[in-house]
Amino acid sequence: MGVVVGVILDESVVLASDSPQHENPSLLPLADSLLRKLRHSKIPTGISYDLGLSDDKVSLLKRLATLYSFDCFILNTSSVDDAKNEIMLAWGDTGGSILYVVSDKKKKFFPKLSNCSWLIVVLRSLGQESADVTEGGSSCENSSMIFINKLEELPSTICHINRKVSKATGNSVVTVGYVMKPSREEDFAKRGAFPLYPTQNGLIFMPLTFELPLSPQLQEIDIVLHKATDEIKSIELKSRTNFSNRIVYTSGMQDLQR
């Protein structure tokens, strides 16, 4: 296993599966946020779909790929080898690990994927979450598959792999965790400030989220970068205590301070 040099998102982790047939297809919750992070991650990213997917869904996926500068690949049980060749042509000889992110609803596809030498990241469907992941807030992994409960776990999973591989190969790395409002994060990311891929000077940037337990996320990082004023709920102006004690932060920031 090498550092993550490519990410392929199966349509099952991008599109909502419960959209009524008479309505336009929609994205899974938080999928858009993930796509924005991957766009500026310095890691080549693609979206894959089955030949049997409806035209309106394929059209949406292609629009997303264009919007976020991703590649689009056709991938099903009969076209895995063709897709591998197409990915090789698009991304070159990657020399690391390609992550294929897929829903557990496509289990019948797993045996074929296991022959690709890719690292499979399986998103558990609602009601199938693992207790150890839910309580620990991080992914579970075995030799060839990593299981996550929520889509927002993917960036931290990528950082975990890159950190683990870098240290195993004797490279010195520092993981910087960051949390800030989306508009500020987007502005920094556009300038290449938050790559998920290790930089030349050994920095890995990992987005923190208050939607997941903080403790296991903090175990993966060495430094926290944040703008505390983004998390201010109120300021008690009439209080006579020190100014810092008059500031009331969000529960997430209070957890981070602890």
Side-chain angles (χ1 to χ4, degrees):
M1 180 173 67
V3 295
V4 178
V5 294
V7 176
I8 302 172
L9 302 172
D10 185 86
E11 48 84 13
S12 62
V13 299
V14 177
L15 300 177
S17 60
D18 55 355
S19 298
Q21 290 187 352
H22 63 280
E23 293 185 6
N24 292 328
S26 59
L27 302 184
L28 282 174
L30 299 177
D32 188 56
S33 174
L34 174 65
L35 297 179
R36 288 198 303 270
K37 286 181 171 63
L38 290 174
R39 178 183 187 179
H40 303 295
S41 67
K42 301 291 181 70
I43 298 175
T45 301
I47 298 175
S48 70
Y49 62 91
D50 196 311
L51 278 173
L53 200 65
S54 63
D55 291 343
D56 55 346
K57 290 184 177 181
V58 171
S59 178
L60 174 57
L61 292 177
K62 288 184 175 181
R63 290 200 304 271
L64 290 171
T66 300
L67 176 63
Y68 292 105
S69 302
F70 294 164
D71 293 296
C72 250
F73 305 108
I74 297 174
L75 183 61
N76 55 32
T77 53
S78 61
S79 67
V80 171
D81 291 335
D82 291 338
K84 286 179 63 178
N85 292 333
E86 188 177 352
I87 292 166
M88 179 70 75
L89 289 173
W91 296 349
D93 187 2
T94 55
S97 295
I98 290 181
L99 262 59
Y100 188 82
V101 190
V102 61
S103 168
D104 64 358
K105 295 178 181 179
K106 301 184 75 171
K107 290 181 180 178
K108 63 180 181 180
F109 197 24
F110 293 174
K112 191 70 174 179
L113 289 173
S114 64
N115 298 323
C116 291
S117 69
W118 295 341
L119 190 56
I120 313 302
V121 179
V122 181
L123 175 65
R124 289 189 172 99
S125 53
L126 188 63
Q128 301 299 315
E129 297 92 338
S130 170
D132 54 350
V133 178
T134 301
E135 293 170 5
S138 59
S139 57
C140 287
E141 59 183 284
N142 58 32
S143 58
S144 61
M145 290 188 179
I146 296 176
F147 295 86
I148 59 177
N149 286 334
K150 296 181 178 181
L151 204 54
E152 55 264 47
E153 293 175 41
L154 184 61
S156 60
T157 299
I158 294 173
C159 290
H160 169 76
I161 294 170
N162 288 343
R163 178 184 175 94
K164 181 178 179 180
V165 172
S166 296
K167 288 192 171 184
T169 54
N171 294 319
S172 177
V173 294
V174 174
T175 303
V176 181
Y178 65 90
V179 56
M180 56 190 66
K181 62 183 181 180
S183 60
R184 195 186 312 280
E185 178 184 355
E186 180 76 5
D187 185 50
F188 275 99
K190 285 179 179 178
R191 291 179 276 172
F194 297 140
L196 295 176
Y197 189 84
T199 65
Q200 290 184 344
N201 54 0
L203 294 178
I204 297 175
F205 290 86
M206 174 177 151
L208 301 175
T209 173
F210 295 139
E211 301 302 318
L212 299 171
L214 268 179
S215 179
Q217 295 180 73
L218 295 177
Q219 292 175 11
E220 295 286 339
I221 65 174
D222 303 297
I223 303 171
V224 176
L225 174 65
H226 69 91
K227 188 171 178 61
T229 53
D230 287 348
E231 301 296 328
I232 292 178
K233 289 179 62 178
S234 62
I235 300 177
E236 299 176 1
L237 297 177
K238 295 182 180 181
S239 174
R240 295 184 178 181
T241 60
N242 292 334
F243 181 75
S244 60
N245 295 328
R246 286 184 272 162
I247 300 174
V248 179
Y249 291 103
T250 61
S251 58
M253 182 55 68
Q254 291 178 39
D255 290 341
L256 187 59
Q257 288 176 320
R258 297 189 189 103

